[in-house]
C-alpha cells in the first residue's frame, strides 16, 4: 500500500513542477492532465499548490478545482450530484474515479456484494463490474479476491486515499486511541517480565537452599557411619561366642536404625523444598 502511494506521488511530480509556473486559466488544463494521468491517485499536493489555489478563485478555474477535490476524497455519487456544475469526465477519468470510489467503499467493509458495488458505482452489468475490479487490482489499488459464486469481493488491502477535512480528525482520534492501547499493553508486558524475573530468582535461591541442606544431611550420614557403636553391658557380660553373635546383630540393627533416620530426614527435606517451590510457582 505504501509503495503504491509513493509511486503515485512520483508520477504526480511533473504536474507539481508545472504548477509552479502555471498562471490563471492554464491551471484548468493542468488539473485535467493530472486527472487523466495513469497511475496518479493522490492529489493533495497539487490541490494545495499555491498557484492552483490562487487560480481557483477565478470563475473559469473553480469548476476544475472542485472536480479535483472530488478526486481527492470524493466518490462517483458525489460527482453525479454536482455534475451540472463540473466539467464532463473523460473515459479515463470516469474509470479512475470509479476505482477510487471502490477504495473508499472498502474502508467501511472488507466484504462487498456485487449488488452494493453496482449500485454505488452505477454499473449495470456484472461483467463490467468485474472488469473494473480486476483492473483496479492490476493497478495496485485493491488487493483481494472475487467470489463469483457468492457474488462478492473480499478485500484484503487498498491504497490510502487523500484525507478529507472530516477524516483528519477521525484519523487523529484513532491514532490517539491506538497509542493509549499500545502504552497499556506495554505496561502489562513490563509487569509480566518483572514477575517472571522475580520467579526465576526465587527458584534459583530455592535450588541453592535445597543443595546446601542436602549436603548437610549427607555430611551427617557420613559422620554417623564412621562413629563406633557402643555395646550395652548385657552384651559385654556374655561369653565370647555369644558376645560376637550379639554384637553383629546389634550393629546391624543400629546401622539400620541410623539409615532409616537419615532417609526420613532426607524425605522431610525433599517434601518441604518441593512444597516451597510449588507455592512459589503458583504465586
Amino acid at each position: 500500500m505504501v509503495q503504491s502511494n509513493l509511486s503515485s506521488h512520483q508520477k504526480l511530480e511533473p504536474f507539481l513542477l508545472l504548477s509552479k509556473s502555471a498562471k490563471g486559466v492554464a491551471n484548468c488544463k493542468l488539473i485535467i492532465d493530472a486527472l487523466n494521468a495513469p497511475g496518479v491517485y493522490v492529489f493533495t499536493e497539487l490541490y494545495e499548490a499555491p498557484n492552483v489555489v490562487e487560480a481557483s478563485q477565478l470563475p473559469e478555474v473553480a469548476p476544475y478545482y472542485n472536480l479535483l477535490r472530488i478526486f481527492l476524497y470524493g466518490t462517483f455519487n458525489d460527482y453525479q450530484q454536482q455534475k451540472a456544475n463540473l466539467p464532463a469526465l473523460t473515459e479515463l477519468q470516469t474509470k479512475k474515479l470509479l476505482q477510487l470510489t471502490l477504495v473508499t467503499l472498502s474502508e467501511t467493509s472488507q466484504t462487498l456484494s456485487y449488488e452494493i458495488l453496482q449500485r454505488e458505482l452505477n454499473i449495470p452489468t456484472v461483467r463490467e463490474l468485474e472488469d473494473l475490479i480486476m483492473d483496479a487490482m492490476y493497478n495496485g489499488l485493491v488487493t483481494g479476491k472475487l467470489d463469483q459464486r457468492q457474488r462478492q469481493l473480499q478485500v484484503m488491502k487498498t491504497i490510502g486515499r487523500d484525507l478529507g477535512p472530516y477524516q483528519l480528525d477521525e484519523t487523529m482520534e484513532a491514532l490517539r486511541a491506538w497509542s493509549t492501547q499500545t502504552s497499556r499493553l506495554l505496561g502489562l508486558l513490563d509487569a509480566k517480565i518483572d514477575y517472571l524475573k522475580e520467579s526465576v530468582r526465587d527458584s534459583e535461591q530455592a535450588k541453592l537452599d535445597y543443595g546446601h541442606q542436602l549436603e548437610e544431611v549427607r555430611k551427617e550420614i557420613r559422620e554417623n557411619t564412621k562413629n563406633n557403636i557402643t555395646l550395652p553391658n548385657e552384651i559385654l557380660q556374655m561369653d565370647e561366642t555369644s558376645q560376637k553373635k550379639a554384637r553383629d546383630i546389634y550393629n546391624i540393627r543400629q546401622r539400620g536404625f541410623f539409615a532409616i533416620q537419615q532417609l526420613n530426614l532426607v524425605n522431610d527435606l525433599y517434601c518441604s523444598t518441593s512444597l516451597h517451590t510449588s507455592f512459589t510457582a503458583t504465586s
Side-chain angles (χ1 to χ4, degrees):
M1 181 170 66
V2 174
Q3 290 180 346
S4 296
N5 283 358
L6 287 176
S7 176
S8 181
H9 172 78
Q10 291 169 352
K11 292 177 180 179
L12 183 65
E13 281 291 340
F15 302 100
L16 297 178
L17 294 174
L18 290 172
S19 71
K20 294 178 180 180
S21 58
K23 300 293 182 180
V25 294
N27 284 281
C28 297
K29 184 176 187 308
L30 177 64
I31 291 172
I32 291 298
D33 290 344
L35 296 180
N36 277 328
V40 178
Y41 300 104
V42 291
F43 305 93
T44 294
E45 290 173 286
L46 181 62
Y47 184 78
E48 296 176 350
N51 284 348
V52 176
V53 174
E54 182 181 353
S56 68
Q57 303 303 314
L58 299 174
E60 300 90 344
V61 180
Y64 293 88
Y65 192 70
N66 292 334
L67 178 64
L68 179 61
R69 183 189 300 116
I70 289 178
F71 273 79
L72 250 71
Y73 44 79
T75 64
F76 188 73
N77 276 339
D78 294 331
Y79 173 79
Q80 292 290 80
Q81 292 172 8
Q82 304 174 43
K83 186 175 180 179
N85 300 317
L86 298 173
L89 294 178
T90 65
E91 183 178 349
L92 288 174
Q93 291 169 356
T94 300
K95 186 175 184 180
K96 182 180 291 189
L97 184 55
L98 287 173
Q99 291 176 337
L100 289 173
T101 303
L102 175 62
V103 171
T104 297
L105 292 173
S106 301
E107 294 173 357
T108 57
S109 176
Q110 290 185 308
T111 302
L112 297 169
S113 69
Y114 281 11
E115 181 182 359
I116 291 175
L117 291 174
Q118 285 182 262
R119 182 178 68 248
E120 293 296 325
L121 301 178
N122 194 26
I123 295 179
T125 68
V126 171
R127 177 61 183 273
E128 289 179 275
L129 174 64
E130 291 180 340
D131 287 345
L132 179 76
I133 293 172
M134 287 188 287
D135 191 63
M137 290 181 178
Y138 178 79
N139 290 323
L141 277 74
V142 176
T143 300
K145 179 182 178 182
L146 278 175
D147 187 340
Q148 294 176 315
R149 177 174 296 181
Q150 297 294 327
R151 294 173 57 85
Q152 62 186 18
L153 169 65
Q154 295 287 343
V155 181
M156 295 167 54
K157 63 179 181 179
T158 68
I159 65 166
R161 291 194 67 182
D162 298 291
L163 292 178
Y166 65 93
Q167 292 175 306
L168 186 58
D169 292 338
E170 294 177 358
T171 302
M172 292 301 297
E173 184 61 33
L175 288 173
R176 281 192 288 268
W178 175 82
S179 179
T180 301
Q181 180 71 1
T182 301
S183 298
R184 190 180 72 84
L185 289 175
L186 288 174
L188 292 174
L189 287 174
D190 287 340
K192 187 66 174 179
I193 290 171
D194 291 340
Y195 169 75
L196 291 174
K197 287 180 178 178
E198 186 66 26
S199 298
V200 169
R201 284 194 293 268
D202 291 344
S203 179
E204 291 296 328
Q205 187 60 46
K207 288 180 181 179
L208 290 174
D209 293 342
Y210 175 75
H212 291 321
Q213 294 179 31
L214 186 59
E215 184 58 33
E216 290 295 325
V217 171
R218 289 172 176 169
K219 182 178 178 181
E220 187 176 348
I221 292 174
R222 286 194 295 270
E223 289 177 353
N224 287 336
T225 303
K226 292 178 181 178
N227 291 337
N228 292 325
I229 300 173
T230 303
L231 298 176
N233 291 331
E234 291 83 354
I235 294 178
L236 294 176
Q237 294 174 2
M238 292 180 179
D239 60 74
E240 186 177 349
T241 302
S242 299
Q243 193 179 90
K244 184 177 182 304
K245 292 181 179 179
R247 184 187 294 112
D248 292 340
I249 294 172
Y250 183 78
N251 287 341
I252 292 171
R253 287 178 177 176
Q254 286 297 100
R255 291 191 180 95
F257 174 75
F258 282 131
I260 291 171
Q261 277 189 320
Q262 303 310 323
L263 286 173
N264 288 336
L265 192 59
V266 171
N267 184 61
D268 292 342
L269 176 60
Y270 173 77
C271 290
S272 64
T273 306
S274 298
L275 180 60
H276 172 73
T277 304
S278 175
F279 176 77
T280 303
T282 304
S283 301

